[in-house]
Amino acid sequence: AQFFHRELATDGGRLARDYLDGRGLTDAVVEWQLGYHPTGAALAREMQQRRWPREILEQAGLLRTGRGTFAGRVMFPIVDERGRVVGFGGRIVPGAPGSEGDGEDKPPKYVNSPESPFFNKRRVLFGLHHAKRAGERRIVVMEGYTDVIACHLAGFPGAVAALGTAFTQEHARKVERYATEGVVLLFDGDRAGLQAAERAMKELVNSRLSIRIALMTGAKDPADYVVARPGEEPELAEERRARFADLLDGADEAL
């Protein structure tokens, strides 16, 4: 994570920095240890110089047949509730070499570390460590690294994200000691969002947590609500954040 964080500040990380700036996430670079995975063999060279065990990097999904599987991506360290880096999410950088393509050759927008001895996606929630440090007692579960970080920057420090899976019973047990004011599951208001809400309820119907569900309309994702857009009047961003707060406060009991 430290290696990727350093690389973000180099000339090679310029497009990644531009992407983060365009998403309103520049202020999060240090606090969330955001980074950039350089192309070429830079990670393999670093591994050799630092004498890192190849097996560990392969289990974390960083190396596959000697190649960097996250090369050219913005790197989001996945941290457990104790603050330990257990994996990574990588987001493709628009305009970077290899980011284009069509059909089956088009690279996926996001790549996550595979499950490993360090990382179980049914137990880890992205952002929970930050929510815990902030002392937030209402946890809001959403999708996407950038959504979570944008919400924390905008004054919603309970934001967390499930990593490629629905909110599970294991997740519920993990947050029970923190979420004394309950959990809000935030979904899109379309058919897929409703189906996701139904799946989550099947997992959580016997949870001791207070579970509420909020459905978004009129915006693509939570970051669209809370991030100030370039050249925008501050009052407009504040209005959207107030609507987002109302959406969470008005979330329905899950049943």
Side-chain angles (χ1 to χ4, degrees), residues 46-61:
E46 185 81 0
M47 177 190 71
Q48 292 170 349
Q49 291 171 5
R50 302 283 291 273
R51 297 185 178 179
W52 290 335
R54 173 181 288 272
E55 178 189 6
I56 299 294
L57 272 69
E58 289 177 345
Q59 286 178 332

Side-chain angles (χ1 to χ4, degrees), residues 4-5 8 20 25 28-30 32-36 75-77 149:
F4 297 137
H5 186 62
L8 182 64
L20 292 171
L25 301 179
V29 167
V30 174
W32 293 76
Q33 206 174 10
L34 305 184
Y36 171 70
M75 297 296 280
F76 297 87
I149 297 172

